[in-house]
Amino acid sequence: MSRVYNFSAGPAVLPEEVLREAAEEMLDYKGTGMSVMEMSHRSKAYDTIIKEAEADLRDLMNIPDNYKVLFLQGGASQQFAMIPMNLMKNKVADYIVTGQWAKKAYQEACIYGKANKIASSEDQTFSYIPDCSDLPVSEDADYVYICENNTIYGTKFKTLPNTKGKTLVADVSSCFLSEPVDVTKYGVIYGGVQKNIGPAGVVIVIIREDLITEDVLPGTPTMLKYKTHSDNDSLYNTPPAYGIYICGKVFKWLKAKGGLAAMKEYNEKKAKILYDFLDESSLFKGTVRKEDRSLMNVPFVTGDEELDAKFVKEAKEAGFENLKGHRSVGGMRASIYNAMPIEGVEKLVQFMKKFEAENRK
Ligand SMILES: *Cc1c(COP(=O)(O)O)cnc(C)c1O
């Protein structure tokens, strides 16, 4: 067996320890004689799995009691609709558009009410985070929406926007559990888990209780009401049971690593190796304004498309997978999530140095 260094943006690398444990438990989960995949979601064994997963997540993120944790399906993209359907009481919301995912969320909200684009970085292909200290937040806005880490472009909000008292809603899909967060600053934090936590198929929503009401837009399906899932502890219908089980294992792995403060330190160390190299390289360069750089997704280019393609091909042959940039931006992107070991980044930089020496113009 040989494992590659997988720099995919998502679905992405998972901790090897977690995969091994899951493999050991595949046929007989803790003496139940069955796999977690085959188990009733109403069984005692599964009840323990989902409750422990929630408790460990609460512990990791220090989630206050007045927030609910929901394990849902439909991906982050389904939240683009669920958020306006559930939160747009005045039918007004403000969106900060810092990339494709924020733009999609904004466009979806336009279906349900008056969505205002109050800031954007599209003028420079989303390569920076706009100044959000004094935006024209709408007086009747139900919420202000951000995508906190822009997976495709590699930017991250280092300070949260000044929402002028309005509820903040954040898509954290690609920075979930990468560093400590102050949950109390948000009304809703959500993310698809396939970037930094677990297998595709689970989306986690952390939502302040007062935002969960029956007062939703007319026609909202039962399955798309937060209240439905909140009232039933994420077991209204069959949840993505196996995916939640793996997420639970990743939460325990993170706790054993020292929690989110330790993860932040590790992630900063990892990202610095790559960014320092990009800053000194004569061939490769980063595409993002320095102060807005993500710790998770690192896009870079050589400035020559053919050379980019050659790099991606040779990197793959050397065991560095999925370094091609998103189809909308080209170039390269290394996603270096929690589970990417520091050796992976060190070896990638060594490989980039070798490639640079061989391809110097
Ligand atoms: C990947 C991603 C999405 C889309 O996630 P799906 O689960 O495929 O719907 C949304 N937002 C961000 C920030 C992402 O990285």
Side-chain angles (χ1 to χ4, degrees):
M1 184 203 69
S2 91
R3 295 205 14 110
V4 296
Y5 288 113
N6 181 7
F7 293 93
S8 171
V13 59
L14 287 171
E16 202 170 303
E17 296 93 317
V18 166
L19 296 176
R20 282 183 194 285
E21 234 181 74
E24 274 165 29
E25 292 173 353
M26 182 60 75
L27 297 181
D28 177 5
Y29 176 75
K30 297 197 173 163
T32 57
M34 60 177 91
S35 167
V36 173
M37 260 183 252
E38 304 168 299
M39 197 174 268
S40 164
H41 57 293
R42 314 245 175 240
S43 66
K44 207 164 168 18
Y46 195 73
D47 188 60
T48 307
I49 290 171
I50 193 168
K51 291 227 167 82
E52 267 188 34
E54 179 177 340
D56 285 331
L57 181 64
R58 285 186 174 277
D59 210 16
L60 276 169
M61 291 179 75
N62 203 7
I63 300 174
D65 288 343
N66 64 326
Y67 284 75
K68 288 276 188 192
V69 173
L70 308 176
F71 296 101
L72 307 181
Q73 305 189 50
S77 301
Q78 185 165 283
Q79 294 307 308
F80 299 169
M82 273 181 86
I83 287 159
M85 287 176 128
N86 284 270
L87 303 188
M88 261 190 178
K89 319 281 182 200
N90 299 328
K91 295 206 166 203
V92 179
D94 290 347
Y95 280 71
I96 298 173
V97 176
T98 52
Q100 294 257 13
W101 296 119
K103 193 173 174 181
K104 283 192 171 157
Y106 161 73
Q107 286 166 341
E108 192 73 12
C110 289
I111 298 173
Y112 302 101
K114 190 168 181 299
N116 305 304
K117 198 191 290 181
I118 55 167
S120 167
S121 53
E122 195 163 11
D123 59 335
Q124 291 174 44
T125 47
F126 299 121
S127 59
Y128 69 102
I129 298 290
D131 177 0
C132 297
S133 58
D134 186 18
L135 294 173
V137 176
S138 310
E139 239 162 63
D140 50 353
D142 292 302
Y143 59 89
V144 175
Y145 182 101
I146 61 167
C147 177
E148 195 162 330
N149 185 80
N150 296 281
T151 324
I152 297 171
Y153 304 92
T155 58
K156 161 101 204 289
F157 280 83
K158 300 293 162 80
T159 45
L160 293 175
N162 175 3
T163 64
K164 303 188 176 167
K166 303 295 179 195
T167 297
L168 179 63
V169 174
D171 174 357
V172 299
S173 295
S174 50
C175 60
F176 225 155
L177 305 181
S178 63
E179 55 185 271
V181 302
D182 180 353
V183 175
T184 64
K185 295 211 164 97
Y186 304 79
V188 180
I189 304 179
Y190 80 92
V193 305
Q194 74 271 25
K195 307 291 160 68
N196 203 22
I197 303 179
V202 184
V203 65
I204 298 176
V205 176
I206 300 161
I207 178 169
R208 214 175 56 223
E209 268 169 0
D210 60 280
L211 298 170
I212 305 171
T213 66
E214 273 293 356
D215 176 24
V216 297
L217 296 189
T220 301
T222 306
M223 275 294 287
L224 299 189
K225 292 178 189 170
Y226 290 125
K227 190 154 192 330
T228 302
H229 300 285
S230 171
D231 285 350
N232 292 281
D233 295 328
S234 303
L235 293 169
Y236 169 73
N237 69 326
T238 319
Y242 194 80
I244 295 168
Y245 154 78
I246 298 290
C247 291
K249 288 202 176 299
V250 172
F251 300 154
K252 289 197 189 300
W253 178 81
L254 288 166
K255 284 174 86 174
K257 292 257 160 205
L260 301 191
M263 263 349 276
K264 178 173 197 239
E265 209 176 295
Y266 189 63
N267 288 329
E268 281 173 345
K269 206 166 134 190
K270 260 191 312 192
K272 186 173 189 309
I273 296 169
L274 189 47
Y275 284 125
D276 281 354
F277 171 66
L278 290 173
D279 288 342
E280 67 176 35
S281 170
S282 58
L283 181 64
F284 297 101
K285 50 178 181 308
T287 56
V288 168
R289 187 166 75 181
K290 275 188 191 177
E291 55 270 38
D292 301 324
R293 284 171 164 177
S294 165
L295 291 180
M296 298 280 101
N297 311 97
V298 184
F300 55 94
V301 295
T302 63
D304 172 340
E305 274 180 38
E306 267 175 43
L307 205 52
D308 287 352
K310 183 171 186 244
F311 174 78
V312 171
K313 180 171 172 286
E314 290 182 14
K316 185 176 166 65
E317 285 159 8
F320 305 101
E321 289 269 353
N322 291 312
L323 282 166
K324 196 167 185 294
H326 189 269
R327 57 197 142 78
S328 66
V329 290
M332 282 76 72
R333 171 179 52 173
S335 294
I336 50 175
Y337 296 119
N338 283 345
M340 171 57 65
I342 201 160
E343 301 77 38
V345 179
E346 284 165 353
K347 286 184 184 157
L348 173 64
V349 167
Q350 275 168 28
F351 178 79
M352 288 168 79
K353 283 183 178 160
K354 182 168 149 278
F355 186 89
E356 179 176 288
E358 289 165 0
N359 292 276
R360 217 183 299 271
K361 292 194 193 150

Short mmCIF file of all heavy atoms in Angstrom, two decimals, residues 111-158:
data_model
loop_
_atom_site.label_atom_id
_atom_site.label_comp_id
_atom_site.label_asym_id
_atom_site.label_seq_id
_atom_site.Cartn_x
_atom_site.Cartn_y
_atom_site.Cartn_z
N ILE A 111 -33.34 34.69 -5.09
CA ILE A 111 -34.60 34.01 -5.42
C ILE A 111 -35.66 34.29 -4.36
O ILE A 111 -36.84 34.35 -4.65
CB ILE A 111 -34.37 32.47 -5.51
CG1 ILE A 111 -33.37 32.15 -6.63
CG2 ILE A 111 -35.68 31.72 -5.70
CD1 ILE A 111 -32.96 30.67 -6.68
N TYR A 112 -35.19 34.48 -3.11
CA TYR A 112 -36.13 34.52 -1.97
C TYR A 112 -36.43 35.91 -1.43
O TYR A 112 -37.36 36.08 -0.66
CB TYR A 112 -35.59 33.63 -0.84
CG TYR A 112 -35.40 32.22 -1.31
CD1 TYR A 112 -34.14 31.74 -1.64
CD2 TYR A 112 -36.50 31.39 -1.48
CE1 TYR A 112 -33.96 30.45 -2.11
CE2 TYR A 112 -36.34 30.10 -1.96
CZ TYR A 112 -35.06 29.64 -2.28
OH TYR A 112 -34.90 28.37 -2.76
N GLY A 113 -35.60 36.88 -1.78
CA GLY A 113 -35.84 38.22 -1.23
C GLY A 113 -34.88 39.20 -1.84
O GLY A 113 -34.30 38.96 -2.90
N LYS A 114 -34.68 40.31 -1.12
CA LYS A 114 -33.78 41.34 -1.63
C LYS A 114 -32.40 41.10 -1.05
O LYS A 114 -32.13 41.40 0.10
CB LYS A 114 -34.30 42.71 -1.21
CG LYS A 114 -33.57 43.86 -1.89
CD LYS A 114 -34.32 45.16 -1.65
CE LYS A 114 -33.63 46.33 -2.33
NZ LYS A 114 -32.27 46.58 -1.86
N ALA A 115 -31.53 40.52 -1.86
CA ALA A 115 -30.16 40.30 -1.42
C ALA A 115 -29.32 41.46 -1.94
O ALA A 115 -29.39 41.78 -3.12
CB ALA A 115 -29.64 38.97 -1.94
N ASN A 116 -28.57 42.09 -1.06
CA ASN A 116 -27.72 43.22 -1.45
C ASN A 116 -26.27 42.80 -1.41
O ASN A 116 -25.80 42.26 -0.40
CB ASN A 116 -27.90 44.40 -0.47
CG ASN A 116 -29.34 44.81 -0.34
OD1 ASN A 116 -29.98 45.13 -1.34
ND2 ASN A 116 -29.87 44.78 0.88
N LYS A 117 -25.56 43.09 -2.48
CA LYS A 117 -24.12 42.83 -2.50
C LYS A 117 -23.47 44.09 -1.93
O LYS A 117 -23.36 45.10 -2.61
CB LYS A 117 -23.69 42.61 -3.95
CG LYS A 117 -22.35 41.92 -4.10
CD LYS A 117 -21.86 41.97 -5.55
CE LYS A 117 -22.65 41.08 -6.49
NZ LYS A 117 -22.12 41.12 -7.87
N ILE A 118 -23.08 44.05 -0.65
CA ILE A 118 -22.57 45.28 -0.03
C ILE A 118 -21.06 45.43 -0.16
O ILE A 118 -20.51 46.48 0.13
CB ILE A 118 -22.99 45.42 1.46
CG1 ILE A 118 -22.57 44.19 2.28
CG2 ILE A 118 -24.49 45.65 1.58
CD1 ILE A 118 -22.68 44.40 3.78
N ALA A 119 -20.38 44.37 -0.59
CA ALA A 119 -18.93 44.47 -0.88
C ALA A 119 -18.56 43.29 -1.75
O ALA A 119 -19.22 42.25 -1.72
CB ALA A 119 -18.12 44.44 0.42
N SER A 120 -17.50 43.48 -2.53
CA SER A 120 -17.07 42.42 -3.44
C SER A 120 -15.60 42.61 -3.74
O SER A 120 -15.08 43.73 -3.69
CB SER A 120 -17.89 42.50 -4.73
OG SER A 120 -17.29 41.69 -5.73
N SER A 121 -14.93 41.52 -4.08
CA SER A 121 -13.54 41.63 -4.54
C SER A 121 -13.41 41.05 -5.95
O SER A 121 -12.33 40.67 -6.37
CB SER A 121 -12.58 40.93 -3.56
OG SER A 121 -12.99 39.61 -3.32
N GLU A 122 -14.52 41.03 -6.64
CA GLU A 122 -14.53 40.44 -7.98
C GLU A 122 -13.70 41.28 -8.96
O GLU A 122 -13.21 40.75 -9.97
CB GLU A 122 -15.97 40.30 -8.49
CG GLU A 122 -16.06 39.39 -9.70
CD GLU A 122 -17.47 38.88 -10.00
OE1 GLU A 122 -18.44 39.39 -9.40
OE2 GLU A 122 -17.59 37.95 -10.83
N ASP A 123 -13.54 42.60 -8.67
CA ASP A 123 -12.77 43.47 -9.57
C ASP A 123 -11.33 42.98 -9.76
O ASP A 123 -10.70 43.27 -10.78
CB ASP A 123 -12.79 44.92 -9.06
CG ASP A 123 -12.21 45.07 -7.65
OD1 ASP A 123 -12.21 44.08 -6.89
OD2 ASP A 123 -11.74 46.16 -7.31
N GLN A 124 -10.79 42.27 -8.78
CA GLN A 124 -9.43 41.73 -8.93
C GLN A 124 -9.44 40.22 -8.74
O GLN A 124 -8.69 39.68 -7.91
CB GLN A 124 -8.48 42.41 -7.93
CG GLN A 124 -8.24 43.89 -8.28
CD GLN A 124 -7.42 44.61 -7.22
OE1 GLN A 124 -6.42 44.07 -6.73
NE2 GLN A 124 -7.83 45.80 -6.85
N THR A 125 -10.32 39.58 -9.53
CA THR A 125 -10.50 38.12 -9.47
C THR A 125 -10.41 37.54 -8.05
O THR A 125 -9.77 36.51 -7.83
CB THR A 125 -9.52 37.36 -10.40
OG1 THR A 125 -8.21 37.87 -10.21
CG2 THR A 125 -9.91 37.44 -11.84
N PHE A 126 -11.08 38.21 -7.13
CA PHE A 126 -11.22 37.70 -5.76
C PHE A 126 -9.89 37.39 -5.08
O PHE A 126 -9.79 36.46 -4.28
CB PHE A 126 -12.10 36.44 -5.76
CG PHE A 126 -13.50 36.65 -6.28
CD1 PHE A 126 -13.97 35.93 -7.39
CD2 PHE A 126 -14.37 37.54 -5.67
CE1 PHE A 126 -15.26 36.10 -7.86
CE2 PHE A 126 -15.67 37.71 -6.13
CZ PHE A 126 -16.11 36.99 -7.23
N SER A 127 -8.88 38.20 -5.39
CA SER A 127 -7.55 37.92 -4.83
C SER A 127 -7.32 38.63 -3.50
O SER A 127 -6.21 38.61 -2.97
CB SER A 127 -6.48 38.36 -5.83
OG SER A 127 -6.62 39.75 -6.08
N TYR A 128 -8.35 39.26 -2.95
CA TYR A 128 -8.20 39.94 -1.67
C TYR A 128 -9.55 39.96 -0.94
O TYR A 128 -10.58 39.61 -1.51
CB TYR A 128 -7.69 41.38 -1.88
CG TYR A 128 -8.71 42.29 -2.54
CD1 TYR A 128 -9.45 43.20 -1.78
CD2 TYR A 128 -8.97 42.22 -3.91
CE1 TYR A 128 -10.39 44.02 -2.38
CE2 TYR A 128 -9.93 43.03 -4.50
CZ TYR A 128 -10.64 43.93 -3.74
OH TYR A 128 -11.59 44.73 -4.32
N ILE A 129 -9.50 40.35 0.34
CA ILE A 129 -10.71 40.53 1.14
C ILE A 129 -10.95 42.04 1.26
O ILE A 129 -10.06 42.77 1.70
CB ILE A 129 -10.54 39.91 2.55
CG1 ILE A 129 -10.30 38.39 2.46
CG2 ILE A 129 -11.74 40.22 3.45
CD1 ILE A 129 -11.46 37.53 2.04
N PRO A 130 -12.14 42.51 0.87
CA PRO A 130 -12.37 43.96 0.96
C PRO A 130 -12.42 44.45 2.42
O PRO A 130 -12.62 43.66 3.34
CB PRO A 130 -13.74 44.15 0.30
CG PRO A 130 -14.35 42.80 0.15
CD PRO A 130 -13.29 41.78 0.32
N ASP A 131 -12.18 45.73 2.58
CA ASP A 131 -12.29 46.35 3.91
C ASP A 131 -13.75 46.30 4.35
O ASP A 131 -14.62 46.87 3.69
CB ASP A 131 -11.80 47.81 3.83
CG ASP A 131 -11.94 48.54 5.15
OD1 ASP A 131 -12.42 47.92 6.14
OD2 ASP A 131 -11.58 49.73 5.21
N CYS A 132 -14.02 45.60 5.45
CA CYS A 132 -15.41 45.42 5.88
C CYS A 132 -15.66 46.09 7.23
O CYS A 132 -16.49 45.65 8.03
CB CYS A 132 -15.75 43.95 5.95
SG CYS A 132 -15.67 43.12 4.36
N SER A 133 -14.90 47.16 7.50
CA SER A 133 -15.02 47.80 8.81
C SER A 133 -16.20 48.78 8.87
O SER A 133 -16.71 49.07 9.95
CB SER A 133 -13.72 48.51 9.17
OG SER A 133 -13.41 49.47 8.18
N ASP A 134 -16.61 49.28 7.71
CA ASP A 134 -17.71 50.27 7.74
C ASP A 134 -18.53 50.15 6.45
O ASP A 134 -18.54 51.05 5.62
CB ASP A 134 -17.12 51.68 7.89
CG ASP A 134 -18.21 52.73 8.06
OD1 ASP A 134 -19.36 52.36 8.40
OD2 ASP A 134 -17.91 53.92 7.82
N LEU A 135 -19.21 49.05 6.31
CA LEU A 135 -19.99 48.79 5.08
C LEU A 135 -21.40 49.36 5.23
O LEU A 135 -21.89 49.55 6.35
CB LEU A 135 -20.06 47.28 4.83
CG LEU A 135 -18.73 46.60 4.50
CD1 LEU A 135 -18.92 45.08 4.44
CD2 LEU A 135 -18.15 47.13 3.20
N PRO A 136 -22.05 49.61 4.09
CA PRO A 136 -23.43 50.12 4.14
C PRO A 136 -24.41 48.99 4.45
O PRO A 136 -25.19 48.56 3.60
CB PRO A 136 -23.64 50.68 2.73
CG PRO A 136 -22.72 49.89 1.86
CD PRO A 136 -21.54 49.52 2.70
N VAL A 137 -24.35 48.49 5.68
CA VAL A 137 -25.25 47.41 6.11
C VAL A 137 -26.69 47.92 6.09
O VAL A 137 -26.97 49.00 6.62
CB VAL A 137 -24.87 46.91 7.52
CG1 VAL A 137 -25.85 45.86 8.03
CG2 VAL A 137 -23.44 46.35 7.53
N SER A 138 -27.59 47.16 5.48
CA SER A 138 -28.99 47.60 5.36
C SER A 138 -29.66 47.61 6.72
O SER A 138 -29.47 46.68 7.52
CB SER A 138 -29.77 46.66 4.44
OG SER A 138 -29.08 46.47 3.23
N GLU A 139 -30.46 48.65 6.94
CA GLU A 139 -31.08 48.79 8.26
C GLU A 139 -32.01 47.64 8.60
O GLU A 139 -32.12 47.24 9.74
CB GLU A 139 -31.85 50.11 8.32
CG GLU A 139 -31.33 51.00 9.42
CD GLU A 139 -31.77 52.43 9.24
OE1 GLU A 139 -32.99 52.66 9.29
OE2 GLU A 139 -30.88 53.29 9.04
N ASP A 140 -32.67 47.11 7.56
CA ASP A 140 -33.63 46.03 7.80
C ASP A 140 -33.07 44.66 7.39
O ASP A 140 -33.82 43.71 7.19
CB ASP A 140 -34.94 46.32 7.05
CG ASP A 140 -34.71 46.68 5.59
OD1 ASP A 140 -33.52 46.83 5.20
OD2 ASP A 140 -35.69 46.80 4.84
N ALA A 141 -31.74 44.56 7.29
CA ALA A 141 -31.15 43.27 6.88
C ALA A 141 -31.40 42.21 7.95
O ALA A 141 -31.24 42.47 9.14
CB ALA A 141 -29.65 43.43 6.64
N ASP A 142 -31.79 41.03 7.52
CA ASP A 142 -31.98 39.92 8.46
C ASP A 142 -30.64 39.33 8.88
O ASP A 142 -30.53 38.73 9.94
CB ASP A 142 -32.85 38.85 7.82
CG ASP A 142 -34.28 39.33 7.61
OD1 ASP A 142 -34.91 39.71 8.61
OD2 ASP A 142 -34.75 39.36 6.47
N TYR A 143 -29.65 39.46 8.03
CA TYR A 143 -28.32 38.96 8.35
C TYR A 143 -27.30 39.50 7.36
O TYR A 143 -27.67 40.03 6.30
CB TYR A 143 -28.29 37.42 8.35
CG TYR A 143 -28.70 36.77 7.05
CD1 TYR A 143 -27.76 36.50 6.04
CD2 TYR A 143 -30.04 36.42 6.80
CE1 TYR A 143 -28.13 35.92 4.85
CE2 TYR A 143 -30.41 35.83 5.60
CZ TYR A 143 -29.46 35.58 4.63
OH TYR A 143 -29.83 35.01 3.44
N VAL A 144 -26.04 39.36 7.73
CA VAL A 144 -24.92 39.67 6.82
C VAL A 144 -24.19 38.36 6.57
O VAL A 144 -23.89 37.61 7.51
CB VAL A 144 -23.96 40.71 7.44
CG1 VAL A 144 -22.74 40.93 6.54
CG2 VAL A 144 -24.68 42.02 7.70
N TYR A 145 -23.91 38.08 5.31
CA TYR A 145 -23.38 36.77 4.92
C TYR A 145 -21.94 36.87 4.42
O TYR A 145 -21.62 37.75 3.61
CB TYR A 145 -24.25 36.18 3.80
CG TYR A 145 -23.83 34.81 3.34
CD1 TYR A 145 -24.50 33.67 3.78
CD2 TYR A 145 -22.77 34.65 2.45
CE1 TYR A 145 -24.12 32.40 3.35
CE2 TYR A 145 -22.38 33.38 2.02
CZ TYR A 145 -23.07 32.27 2.47
OH TYR A 145 -22.69 31.03 2.05
N ILE A 146 -21.10 35.96 4.89
CA ILE A 146 -19.74 35.87 4.34
C ILE A 146 -19.36 34.41 4.05
O ILE A 146 -19.92 33.48 4.66
CB ILE A 146 -18.64 36.44 5.29
CG1 ILE A 146 -18.60 35.68 6.63
CG2 ILE A 146 -18.83 37.92 5.52
CD1 ILE A 146 -17.37 35.97 7.48
N CYS A 147 -18.41 34.25 3.17
CA CYS A 147 -17.71 32.97 3.02
C CYS A 147 -16.34 33.22 3.64
O CYS A 147 -15.53 33.98 3.09
CB CYS A 147 -17.59 32.58 1.56
SG CYS A 147 -16.66 31.05 1.34
N GLU A 148 -16.09 32.63 4.81
CA GLU A 148 -14.93 33.06 5.61
C GLU A 148 -13.58 32.68 5.00
O GLU A 148 -12.62 33.43 5.11
CB GLU A 148 -15.06 32.49 7.03
CG GLU A 148 -14.12 33.18 7.99
CD GLU A 148 -14.51 32.99 9.45
OE1 GLU A 148 -15.71 32.83 9.75
OE2 GLU A 148 -13.59 33.00 10.28
N ASN A 149 -13.53 31.53 4.39
CA ASN A 149 -12.29 31.11 3.70
C ASN A 149 -12.67 30.74 2.27
O ASN A 149 -13.52 29.86 2.05
CB ASN A 149 -11.67 29.91 4.41
CG ASN A 149 -10.32 29.51 3.82
OD1 ASN A 149 -9.30 30.12 4.12
ND2 ASN A 149 -10.32 28.52 2.96
N ASN A 150 -12.05 31.41 1.32
CA ASN A 150 -12.43 31.22 -0.07
C ASN A 150 -11.55 30.16 -0.72
O ASN A 150 -10.43 30.44 -1.15
CB ASN A 150 -12.40 32.57 -0.78
CG ASN A 150 -13.43 33.51 -0.19
OD1 ASN A 150 -14.62 33.42 -0.49
ND2 ASN A 150 -13.01 34.37 0.73
N THR A 151 -12.11 28.98 -0.75
CA THR A 151 -11.42 27.76 -1.16
C THR A 151 -10.73 27.87 -2.53
O THR A 151 -9.62 27.39 -2.70
CB THR A 151 -12.47 26.62 -1.24
OG1 THR A 151 -13.42 26.80 -0.21
CG2 THR A 151 -11.83 25.27 -1.11
N ILE A 152 -11.42 28.49 -3.46
CA ILE A 152 -10.91 28.54 -4.83
C ILE A 152 -9.79 29.57 -4.96
O ILE A 152 -8.79 29.34 -5.63
CB ILE A 152 -12.07 28.87 -5.81
CG1 ILE A 152 -13.12 27.74 -5.77
CG2 ILE A 152 -11.54 29.11 -7.23
CD1 ILE A 152 -14.40 28.04 -6.52
N TYR A 153 -9.93 30.71 -4.27
CA TYR A 153 -8.99 31.83 -4.45
C TYR A 153 -7.92 31.89 -3.37
O TYR A 153 -6.93 32.59 -3.52
CB TYR A 153 -9.77 33.15 -4.52
CG TYR A 153 -10.80 33.08 -5.62
CD1 TYR A 153 -12.10 32.66 -5.36
CD2 TYR A 153 -10.44 33.32 -6.94
CE1 TYR A 153 -13.02 32.51 -6.38
CE2 TYR A 153 -11.36 33.17 -7.97
CZ TYR A 153 -12.65 32.77 -7.68
OH TYR A 153 -13.55 32.60 -8.69
N GLY A 154 -8.15 31.21 -2.26
CA GLY A 154 -7.13 31.17 -1.21
C GLY A 154 -7.06 32.42 -0.35
O GLY A 154 -5.99 32.80 0.12
N THR A 155 -8.23 33.05 -0.14
CA THR A 155 -8.26 34.20 0.78
C THR A 155 -9.06 33.84 2.02
O THR A 155 -9.93 32.97 1.98
CB THR A 155 -8.93 35.43 0.14
OG1 THR A 155 -10.25 35.08 -0.25
CG2 THR A 155 -8.13 35.93 -1.06
N LYS A 156 -8.78 34.57 3.11
CA LYS A 156 -9.47 34.29 4.38
C LYS A 156 -9.73 35.62 5.09
O LYS A 156 -8.85 36.49 5.11
CB LYS A 156 -8.57 33.39 5.24
CG LYS A 156 -8.87 33.37 6.72
CD LYS A 156 -9.66 32.12 7.12
CE LYS A 156 -10.46 32.28 8.39
NZ LYS A 156 -9.74 32.37 9.62
N PHE A 157 -10.90 35.77 5.66
CA PHE A 157 -11.17 36.93 6.52
C PHE A 157 -10.32 36.82 7.78
O PHE A 157 -10.49 35.86 8.55
CB PHE A 157 -12.64 36.96 6.94
CG PHE A 157 -13.60 37.50 5.91
CD1 PHE A 157 -14.09 36.69 4.89
CD2 PHE A 157 -14.02 38.82 5.97
CE1 PHE A 157 -14.97 37.18 3.94
CE2 PHE A 157 -14.92 39.33 5.03
CZ PHE A 157 -15.38 38.51 4.01
N LYS A 158 -9.42 37.77 8.02
CA LYS A 158 -8.61 37.74 9.24
C LYS A 158 -9.33 38.46 10.37
O LYS A 158 -9.09 38.18 11.55
CB LYS A 158 -7.23 38.35 9.01
CG LYS A 158 -6.40 37.63 7.91
CD LYS A 158 -6.00 36.22 8.31
CE LYS A 158 -5.57 35.36 7.12
NZ LYS A 158 -4.21 35.58 6.64
#
